[in-house]
């Protein structure tokens, strides 16, 4: 089992454990807020299990029909979790806004205890996932951050309610952190859609990549260059490279020099087609000839 798979399973196990604790706590404290949020966390647990399953399947080797393997599954899983997280946040908003008008009474002591447990459990999961590089781990880390901030808000709100008996504080802070989470998830969702459409990954500057390739001695031009990523971690490049005719006598040497430059930009998988100065192929060349 790889590190990414272990990280997601760890987070899923913690979330399921806390969902059970939260459900019991809601029944014992007679808190509708806790019971409603336990339902939300139950949905989160399902999303985490789906993410774990996708990470596991993504490790399957490539086949004659699936030449890139199943790594892209983790990207689809990240999209699914993003949808669940956004839906859950909107659900929280729908519960919080009415409470601005009609604040509900909560058992402050019970809320304080459950909130502390929630911060600890979800904090462990967040620390485990935030170091991950895949889009799946990134979106799941935001997923757990939502829960951490949520329980911090509930902890502060419960303390204020206990000592100042001000019930409207809870929905105000809940709306604030939910909007913040939606902003963070929207950034991740944008990158997920970008990768699904095979756009250039956000961590790669395509202009700097071109500059690096053109800096290789003997390289005259680069065209028909495409950069994309399987899942936000495995970056791929294909390109046509025009080189001076004398350097074509040792094609492997100049090709390796170019690949070394690309590796500095996190591009470890590249397919390069070397061309002489008097020859040009590819869609860009066809476009120029038809002008």
């Amino acid at each position: 089992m790889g590190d990414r798979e272990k990280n997601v399973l760890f987070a899923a196990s913690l979330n399921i454990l806390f969902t059970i604790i939260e459900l019991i706590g809601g029944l014992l404290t007679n808190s509708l807020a806790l019971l409603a949020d336990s339902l939300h966390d139950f949905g989160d647990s399902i999303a985490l299990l789906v993410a774990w399953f996708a990470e596991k399947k993504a490790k399957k080797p490539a086949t004659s029909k699936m030449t890139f393997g199943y790594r892209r599954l983790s990207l689809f899983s990240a999209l699914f979790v993003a949808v669940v997280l956004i839906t859950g946040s909107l659900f929280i908003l729908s519960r919080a806004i009415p409470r601005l008008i009609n604040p509900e009474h909560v058992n402050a002591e019970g809320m304080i205890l459950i909130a502390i447990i929630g911060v600890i459990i979800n904090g462990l999961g967040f620390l485990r996932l935030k170091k991950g590089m895949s889009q799946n781990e990134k979106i799941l880390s935001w997923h757990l951050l939502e829960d951490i901030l949520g329980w911090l808000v509930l902890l502060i709100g419960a303390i204020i309610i206990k000592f100042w008996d001000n019930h409207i504080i809870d929905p105000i802070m809940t709306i604030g952190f939910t909007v913040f989470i939606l902003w963070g998830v929207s950034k991740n969702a944008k990158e997920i859609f970008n990768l699904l459409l095979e756009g250039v990954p956000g961590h790669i500057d395509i202009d700097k990549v071109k500059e690096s390739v053109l800096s290789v001695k003997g390289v005259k031009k680069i065209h028909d260059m495409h950069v994309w990523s399987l899942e936000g971690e495995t970056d791929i490049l294909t390109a046509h490279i025009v080189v001076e005719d004398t350097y074509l006598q040792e094609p492997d040497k100049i090709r390796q020099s170019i690949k070394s430059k690309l590796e500095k930009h996190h591009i470890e998988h590249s397919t390069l087609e070397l061309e002489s100065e008097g020859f040009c192929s590819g869609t860009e060349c066809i476009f120029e000839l038809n002008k």
Side-chain angles (χ1 to χ4, degrees):
M1 187 182 293
D3 289 338
R4 282 170 25 184
E5 188 182 338
K6 288 179 180 178
N7 288 343
V8 174
L9 181 59
F10 178 76
S13 300
L14 284 179
N15 214 74
I16 293 171
L17 173 63
F18 187 64
T19 299
I20 296 171
I21 294 174
E22 188 178 18
L23 177 61
I24 295 172
L27 293 172
L28 292 176
T29 60
N30 196 30
S31 170
L32 180 61
L34 274 177
L35 290 174
D37 201 65
S38 67
L39 178 62
H40 172 238
D41 280 345
F42 176 71
D44 291 351
S45 299
I46 294 176
L48 284 164
L49 287 174
V50 170
W52 169 75
F53 177 78
E55 290 287 0
K56 184 178 180 180
K57 290 297 182 182
K59 295 293 184 182
K60 292 178 65 176
T63 65
S64 59
K65 290 186 177 181
M66 302 292 290
T67 56
F68 277 117
Y70 294 83
R71 294 181 184 179
R72 209 166 180 81
L73 275 175
S74 65
L75 196 58
F76 284 101
S77 172
L79 177 62
F80 173 77
V81 174
V83 171
V84 171
L85 186 54
I86 291 172
T87 302
S89 296
L90 293 177
F91 172 75
I92 291 175
L93 284 176
S94 70
R95 299 284 297 179
I97 293 174
R99 292 192 181 187
L100 290 172
I101 302 172
N102 298 305
E104 296 183 13
H105 177 78
V106 297
N107 185 324
E109 292 82 1
M111 291 293 289
I112 289 172
L113 176 61
I114 299 296
I116 292 173
I117 297 173
V119 170
I120 294 173
I121 291 179
N122 288 287
L124 290 173
F126 174 73
L127 291 174
R128 183 74 174 263
L129 283 175
K130 76 170 187 175
K131 298 178 182 178
M133 292 295 295
S134 71
Q135 284 299 312
N136 211 357
E137 287 171 302
K138 289 178 182 178
I139 198 69
L140 287 175
S141 67
W142 270 101
H143 175 98
L144 291 176
L145 181 59
E146 178 201 37
D147 290 336
I148 294 171
L149 292 178
W151 287 115
L152 284 173
V153 167
L154 288 173
L155 177 60
I156 295 171
I159 292 173
I160 293 175
I161 291 169
K162 177 176 173 59
F163 293 100
W164 287 277
D165 197 30
N166 191 340
H167 295 267
I168 201 171
I169 295 297
D170 181 54
I172 290 175
M173 290 190 293
T174 300
I175 291 171
F177 88 78
T178 303
V179 170
F180 170 74
I181 290 296
L182 285 172
W183 172 76
V185 173
S186 66
K187 291 172 59 181
N188 283 283
K190 181 180 179 181
E191 179 64 5
I192 291 170
F193 279 113
N194 177 56
L195 295 177
L196 284 173
L197 293 174
E198 297 189 345
V200 178
H203 59 273
I204 292 179
D205 188 326
I206 196 166
D207 291 327
K208 290 184 177 179
V209 172
K210 288 182 179 179
E211 289 176 6
S212 293
V213 174
L214 292 172
S215 69
V216 176
K217 190 174 181 180
V219 173
K220 302 295 293 183
K221 182 181 177 182
I222 179 172
H223 64 94
D224 281 272
M225 185 174 79
H226 304 281
V227 181
W228 73 98
S229 180
L230 289 181
E231 78 294 53
E233 213 174 341
T234 306
D235 302 319
I236 303 170
L237 175 145
T238 62
H240 291 235
I241 312 293
V242 179
V243 301
E244 295 178 14
D245 293 346
T246 54
Y247 286 88
L248 286 176
Q249 297 175 9
E250 295 182 288
D252 291 337
K253 184 176 180 181
I254 192 169
R255 187 181 290 110
Q256 187 55 49
S257 296
I258 296 172
K259 286 180 175 288
S260 296
K261 291 285 187 179
L262 293 175
E263 288 175 0
K264 294 179 180 179
H265 295 276
H266 202 265
I267 300 173
E268 298 179 353
H269 186 99
S270 58
T271 302
L272 307 173
E273 183 170 338
L274 302 183
E275 300 174 346
S276 64
E277 294 182 77
F279 178 81
C280 186
S281 64
T283 57
E284 290 187 15
C285 291
I286 294 173
F287 176 75
E288 289 179 3
L289 289 172
N290 291 332
K291 282 185 178 180

